[in-house]
Amino acid sequence: MPLRMVFDRAQELLRPVDDCDLALGNGLCALARQLTPSHSLTSRRYAVWPLVRCHIDPAYTCCLQQQCFNGAYLLQRIPPSYWGKRPPPWSNESLVGMSTGTPMAVTVTFKKTTRNAMEIQEIDWQVANLDKWEGCLQCTADCLFRGTINSKDHRRFQASFFSLVHMVGALKLLRPHRGTHPRFDGRLPDKLTRPQPVTYCVLCWRLSLRSERMLQAKQPVPPDAGIRRLSDRYCAEHNPSDPRSRYWTDRRYKDAFERELALLLHDLAMDRQQARKLAYERAHVRKAPPKRSPLMHEKVRELVAQGITQAEIARRLGVSRQAVWKVVKRN
């Protein structure tokens, strides 16, 4: 996502929810005004945590002091400016079922957690803690006033918690544009310092060159510049740099492949790679006439040998039953 779009999304999330506490709402608006696209979670010059400490911490403490419920002291122990460094002292499961009418039963086990620089980066450590805080705040806002009188104070306090949940979501977006990693000496784009997702070839179901090499190397991030130079859009079978690849042959099927894949992805029970393979077969079968498609002939013979009916074969391949019948009769 472009940097400007990330900043606009963060500004949108910092808007206070209706009926939010007045002091907390003013603090969120002040934080949004002073926030710039240069601010990030790990920046020293443009650090976001001093802004949170200045505008959010006092309003957060005052808001909790106005509500007397068992467990408020736990929330006051860790102000919002430390949420990136310290995880919450309880899990989401311990908050389920609580209400204002009964004391909030929370079994707390304080554990000293440390970050190993070779295991996790500073930015990933902060985002992981923010994820935990977001879940706990969301659970608190959902469960704290369940089954109680819907008074004005309760609505204001609950709206304040929802505003804090949105603020945490905005902070999670403030990743640095470039960062460091213990495996490298220099600075890399932030997306390369994180564990890379598995990517598939845009023309078929196979893994891209970069993903395949990374799985072989068993590295969470690209270990060297050689792997970073590999394509994350094409596989070895469709490598445009290889004149013997099928890139120019299958390039004309790309639009049909994307249409078939969009239809198959609605089936949530289907594996992603399996859906891409089936879309690849359907795109090639529908693009060429049945009598000129050797791929269709091969698939029909394979499915007939398995004892599958012609109607089922036609449904799987996305062709008419008459086309399957002609292939069976010809063979």
Side-chain angles (χ1 to χ4, degrees):
M1 186 182 296
L3 183 61
R4 189 65 194 181
M5 294 180 60
V6 173
F7 177 71
D8 293 341
R9 176 58 179 166
Q11 290 278 357
E12 182 181 352
L13 290 174
L14 287 176
R15 296 175 183 173
V17 181
D18 295 339
D19 298 332
C20 177
D21 183 75
L22 181 61
L24 183 61
N26 293 335
L28 290 172
C29 293
L31 175 62
R33 286 194 301 267
Q34 295 192 11
L35 198 65
T36 65
S38 300
H39 281 88
S40 67
L41 295 176
T42 57
S43 175
R44 295 182 179 180
R45 184 176 180 181
Y46 299 98
V48 70
W49 295 116
L51 298 179
V52 176
R53 185 180 301 110
C54 177
H55 300 293
I56 305 300
D57 284 4
Y60 174 79
T61 305
C62 181
C63 181
L64 290 180
Q65 290 176 353
Q66 296 176 6
Q67 291 291 330
C68 298
F69 65 93
N70 186 17
Y73 73 97
L74 294 176
L75 296 174
Q76 296 178 11
R77 293 187 58 164
I78 307 178
S81 57
Y82 286 89
W83 286 354
K85 300 179 180 179
R86 301 180 185 177
W90 63 83
S91 61
N92 296 352
E93 292 77 7
S94 61
L95 298 176
V96 176
M98 66 182 179
S99 63
T100 309
T102 58
M104 186 174 66
V106 180
T107 303
V108 183
T109 303
F110 291 94
K111 296 182 179 179
K112 184 178 180 181
T113 56
T114 58
R115 179 183 66 87
N116 189 341
M118 294 303 295
E119 295 179 357
I120 185 171
Q121 297 176 253
E122 174 67 24
I123 180 62
D124 294 331
W125 170 254
Q126 293 192 24
V127 171
N129 289 333
L130 289 175
D131 283 333
K132 297 176 183 178
W133 275 105
E134 185 178 22
C136 287
L137 292 172
Q138 182 70 44
C139 189
T140 304
D142 292 338
C143 303
L144 188 57
F145 306 114
R146 183 176 299 172
T148 61
I149 301 176
N150 190 15
S151 65
K152 183 178 180 180
D153 292 338
H154 290 163
R155 291 196 303 269
R156 176 173 56 84
F157 197 48
Q158 192 173 22
S160 301
F161 267 89
F162 281 123
S163 299
L164 290 172
V165 172
H166 294 170
M167 184 197 72
V168 172
L171 294 177
K172 288 165 55 179
L173 295 175
L174 301 179
R175 297 184 67 104
H177 182 59
R178 298 183 69 85
T180 59
H181 193 273
R183 299 179 185 273
F184 304 98
D185 296 331
R187 298 177 64 85
L188 294 172
D190 179 61
K191 64 179 181 180
L192 291 182
T193 61
R194 286 178 277 171
Q196 302 293 297
V198 175
T199 57
Y200 295 95
C201 177
V202 298
L203 298 179
C204 66
W205 72 94
R206 301 177 182 88
L207 294 178
S208 64
L209 291 170
R210 184 185 298 179
S211 295
E212 187 175 3
R213 183 67 64 85
M214 286 176 59
L215 290 178
Q216 294 176 357
K218 298 181 180 180
Q219 296 290 348
V221 294
D224 51 31
I227 291 184
R228 295 201 302 271
R229 282 196 296 265
L230 295 177
S231 173
D232 62 344
R233 290 176 51 84
Y234 300 103
C235 62
E237 189 72 16
H238 297 98
N239 187 7
S241 302
D242 187 1
R244 297 172 298 179
S245 68
R246 294 181 52 86
Y247 171 75
W248 296 105
T249 303
D250 292 347
R251 184 183 178 185
R252 55 180 177 174
Y253 299 101
K254 182 179 179 181
D255 293 338
F257 170 72
E258 292 178 351
R259 288 194 299 268
E260 296 293 339
L261 181 61
L263 296 175
L264 291 174
L265 287 180
H266 290 287
D267 186 3
L268 300 179
M270 182 175 293
D271 180 69
R272 183 182 176 188
Q273 191 170 17
Q274 181 183 359
R276 297 182 69 90
K277 187 173 183 179
L278 184 57
Y280 178 83
E281 296 173 353
R282 287 187 176 184
H284 283 66
V285 167
R286 291 185 178 183
K287 191 75 175 179
K291 62 181 181 180
R292 297 181 182 179
S293 177
L295 179 61
M296 177 183 173
H297 294 189
E298 180 182 353
K299 291 297 298 183
V300 168
R301 287 195 297 267
E302 178 182 348
L303 295 176
V304 168
Q306 298 177 6
I308 302 177
T309 62
Q310 296 184 12
E312 179 64 18
I313 295 175
R315 188 192 68 81
R316 291 189 181 184
L317 298 181
V319 297
S320 63
R321 188 172 57 85
Q322 289 78 8
V324 177
W325 177 79
K326 290 181 181 179
V327 174
V328 174
K329 182 180 177 181
R330 188 177 297 110
N331 295 331

